[in-house]
Amino acid sequence: MTTALPEHIETVIVGSGFAGLCTAIKLDEAGRHDYLVVERDSEVGGTWHANSYPDCACDVPSHLYSFSFAPNPDWRHAFSRQPQILDYLRRVARDHGLTPKIRLNTAMTGAAWDEIERRWVIETSAGTMTADRLVLATGGLSEPSVPDLPGLARFTGTTFHSATWDHDHDLAGERVAVIGTGASAIQFVPHVQRHAGRLSVFQRTAPWVLPRRDREYRAIERRLNRLVPGLQRAIRARMYALREMWLIGFVVSPSLLKLGERVALRHLAKQVPDPQLRAKLTPNFRLGCKRVLLSNDYYPALSQPNVEVVTDRLVEVRSRAIVTESADGTRSEHPVDTIIFGTGFHVTDPPSASRVRGRDGRTLAEHWAEGGMSALHGMAIAGFPNLFMLVGPNTGLGHNSIVLMIEAQVRYLLDLLSQLDANGLAAAEPTVAAQTGYNDRLQRKLERTVWNAGGCQSWYLDANGRNTTLWPTFTFEFMRQLRHADLADYEVQPATTTPRERIPA
Ligand code: NAP
């Protein structure tokens, strides 16, 4: 009896969010049509499909939070809502003819590098496939993190995370607990306040909140975007430059951030008349240390009579209550019917890293266990030939659009592939020296930034306090560094030699 060989594809891309779609489009444009996008969800969109919580929106301006090669003249708001971004991604996928190349409801469950065949063996929920190259476009914010609260399993009410919102669950009249006060929570809390009978917001750290300068674009503006050549590009360039300027405060002169803090404190004072509540909501770290939040309706929602902001430590969940403990040891029980977790994602310990095994048979998570996440240019990793992780370590931004970083990485990938082809090379992985040198330089740059030295705990830092998530400087510097791949940074395998003949480029 013969066993059918697994399907072989030149490039498998995991994920169909901004990063996955961008890779597919650019591979096509370069004439590299043998690729497949596998998507665990039932639709394209990645994080913009998963995060459908009420009033989910983007806090980066619409004209900037879109592909440079696919401008959208019809954005309806200065800051787009999730459904509009999802529509945009669907349209981009359709317009670029990607639909037949995207396999939905197909999760990658594991991948291992086969050193003999020099290919990736990829296990998916729909079977095994092999690929010359594996592009992980799974995003840094894709695996919900739910705290392991004592007693949570005994809770008899409803629980869900912001990224897996239960739209069938009616909050009307319920006692609802929201745990977390990050970028997601501040967007859905006003909705919950309007619908729930009683809302308890459990806040561990008060975030900095600035006014959101949002507005609806007028029809005439949308028409002009279509009619005036270059207008949208100019709008985008202006937004880009303004956003880049935030970085001066974050990394060059943190004292400048005091200006932003004054604006935020005025916003708080204007929107929260009660001095006790205001004190609870006043941050105790430098603005920028965590993501700066933008909202006009979060503080007013917290000021409503059906809301309490709880700052005591969470100690336990009971069958229908959450128990907290104050600084003096007093315990209080807060009755709740539904708990909504706005507690973020596994960023510095992504589960996808436990699913991918490199040349030595160890997983990415095992490679990163000691020193934390690390890669060359946030995408290529020593020991993992032909693995390209988009928006990997140290590519996150606290100030600008991640789409810029994605496009830079995809350009770099295409350049690297051309060079490999031109030199008759089959596989490449960064040398340990190139990867280590690159990361040492990054870490030195990060030392004095507000993210490392701003006096807060955030998902930017891993368990060892190392910042393995953010790009430390201007985005144009990232784009400059990724304009061309330098083969000297790589160990390569010629197409015709045996695996043992791996040579430094
Ligand atoms: P997040 O920013 O990580 O916030 C998580 C919140 O949960 C924080 O307030 C955190 O408190 C709290 N928390 C976590 N574990 C807890 C525990 N064990 N006990 C009590 N509180 C706990 O998560 P997120 O709001 O989902 O946002 C994640 C990222 O997604 C954002 O930073 C942003 O990059 C992205 N995002 C972007 C947009 C956008 O508009 N573009 C919108 C939503 C999200 P501490 O602060 O004390 O840690």
Side-chain angles (χ1 to χ4, degrees):
M1 195 175 78
T2 55
T3 319
L5 285 174
E7 176 182 22
H8 182 79
I9 299 130
E10 211 168 86
T11 307
V12 166
I13 303 164
V14 185
S16 69
F18 270 97
L21 296 183
C22 183
T23 310
I25 291 166
K26 294 296 165 184
L27 283 173
D28 259 338
E29 282 178 10
R32 298 177 180 277
H33 305 297
D34 186 10
Y35 68 84
L36 178 73
V37 181
V38 294
E39 167 57 60
R40 68 181 177 182
D41 242 323
S42 57
E43 265 230 58
V44 300
T47 194
W48 292 104
H49 181 249
N51 284 272
S52 63
Y53 59 77
D55 298 330
C56 178
C58 186
D59 57 12
V60 177
S62 312
H63 288 294
L64 197 53
Y65 199 81
S66 36
F67 291 122
S68 61
F69 54 84
N72 176 14
D74 295 321
W75 288 123
R76 299 201 73 81
H77 297 93
F79 293 93
S80 289
R81 282 47 172 167
Q82 174 262 345
Q84 295 156 10
I85 300 174
L86 184 58
D87 274 352
Y88 168 78
L89 289 173
R90 283 187 192 125
R91 200 168 57 245
V92 167
R94 210 176 40 238
D95 292 352
H96 287 82
L98 304 186
T99 313
K101 299 279 193 76
I102 302 176
R103 208 165 284 174
L104 299 171
N105 300 308
T106 306
M108 183 196 80
T109 52
W113 176 252
D114 179 338
E115 182 74 334
I116 308 295
E117 299 293 335
R118 285 206 205 98
R119 50 179 53 175
W120 283 96
V121 179
I122 302 160
E123 304 296 340
T124 78
S125 53
T128 305
M129 54 184 76
T130 58
D132 299 328
R133 291 181 283 273
L134 177 60
V135 177
L136 287 185
T138 46
L141 301 165
S142 57
E143 301 290 342
S145 166
V146 173
D148 188 15
L149 299 172
L152 184 56
R154 288 196 304 269
F155 185 65
T156 56
T158 304
T159 65
F160 52 88
H161 185 275
S162 55
T164 53
W165 195 272
D166 183 349
H167 290 279
D168 296 330
H169 183 74
D170 187 4
L171 297 172
E174 282 202 332
R175 299 164 301 179
V176 179
V178 168
I179 300 182
T181 54
S184 304
I186 66 143
Q187 293 184 341
F188 66 73
V189 156
H191 167 93
V192 177
Q193 179 274 319
R194 287 192 300 274
H195 291 80
R198 177 128 203 95
L199 166 62
S200 304
V201 176
F202 292 84
Q203 172 191 276
R204 190 166 63 179
T205 313
W208 284 103
V209 183
L210 286 170
R212 192 161 91 140
R213 313 251 179 243
D214 193 18
R215 68 185 181 87
E216 200 164 336
Y217 284 128
R218 285 169 293 161
I220 178 77
E221 290 175 282
R222 297 202 292 272
R223 282 221 358 242
L224 286 174
N225 285 340
R226 286 183 180 287
L227 295 176
V228 182
L231 176 62
Q232 250 194 297
R233 263 205 310 283
I235 295 172
R236 182 178 164 104
R238 181 174 166 276
M239 287 172 171
Y240 171 73
L242 287 173
R243 284 283 174 146
E244 280 298 89
M245 279 197 252
W246 287 26
L247 202 88
I248 298 171
F250 291 164
V251 307
V252 184
S253 178
S255 57
L256 280 178
L257 296 170
K258 286 187 186 145
L259 289 174
E261 289 177 5
R262 275 208 288 276
V263 176
L265 290 176
R266 265 205 307 274
H267 188 49
L268 173 64
K270 208 165 124 194
Q271 294 201 316
V272 180
D274 172 5
Q276 273 183 346
L277 178 59
R278 215 159 51 222
K280 281 185 183 176
L281 298 174
T282 303
N284 61 0
F285 56 91
R286 179 98 310 156
L287 177 134
C289 183
K290 287 172 188 283
R291 193 177 180 89
V292 181
L293 309 184
L294 308 179
S295 176
N296 300 333
D297 56 359
Y298 177 62
Y299 286 147
L302 297 185
S303 301
Q304 297 309 305
N306 65 336
V307 181
E308 66 166 338
V309 175
V310 183
T311 53
D312 292 344
R313 195 170 64 87
L314 296 169
V315 286
E316 190 193 345
V317 179
R318 293 189 181 151
S319 66
R320 215 58 173 200
I322 290 178
V323 179
T324 56
E325 187 177 85
S326 66
D328 66 7
T330 312
R331 292 201 166 197
S332 315
E333 193 177 272
H334 309 262
V336 289
D337 303 307
T338 291
I339 304 175
I340 306 176
F341 291 99
T343 41
F345 298 85
H346 288 278
V347 184
T348 54
D349 57 340
S352 60
S354 308
R355 297 187 193 121
V356 179
R357 290 184 184 279
R359 214 163 15 81
D360 61 3
R362 290 190 307 146
T363 64
L364 201 44
E366 284 164 339
H367 272 252
W368 286 344
E370 258 179 40
M373 298 198 299
S374 130
L376 176 66
H377 300 308
M379 63 187 296
I381 302 141
F384 293 79
N386 288 3
L387 175 74
F388 304 101
M389 183 181 208
L390 299 185
V391 291
N394 291 103
T395 56
L397 299 176
H399 71 292
N400 216 322
S401 170
I402 195 70
V403 184
L404 304 164
M405 308 297 269
I406 291 170
E407 289 193 28
Q409 287 191 318
V410 174
R411 265 195 304 276
Y412 177 94
L413 171 62
L414 266 293
D415 185 61
L416 179 64
L417 296 185
S418 302
Q419 292 192 49
L420 293 178
D421 286 354
N423 290 286
L425 301 169
E429 64 180 280
T431 63
V432 172
Q435 186 174 324
T436 309
Y438 175 82
N439 281 280
D440 288 349
R441 287 192 294 280
L442 280 189
Q443 291 303 324
R444 275 198 299 277
K445 279 198 171 155
L446 281 162
E447 266 163 26
R448 284 183 308 126
T449 64
V450 69
W451 309 305
N452 283 37
C456 75
Q457 277 291 324
S458 74
W459 60 257
Y460 298 159
L461 309 179
D462 67 13
N464 302 315
R466 192 177 151 95
N467 189 332
T468 54
T469 55
L470 291 193
W471 173 245
T473 181
F474 296 96
T475 59
F476 53 76
E477 177 57 18
F478 187 78
M479 295 178 213
R480 189 192 66 75
Q481 289 184 16
L482 272 75
R483 202 166 297 143
H484 294 296
D486 185 351
L487 274 192
D489 288 339
Y490 286 85
E491 248 182 42
V492 292
Q493 296 185 36
T496 52
T497 56
T498 61
R500 268 191 210 90
E501 291 172 279
R502 195 177 315 106
I503 49 167

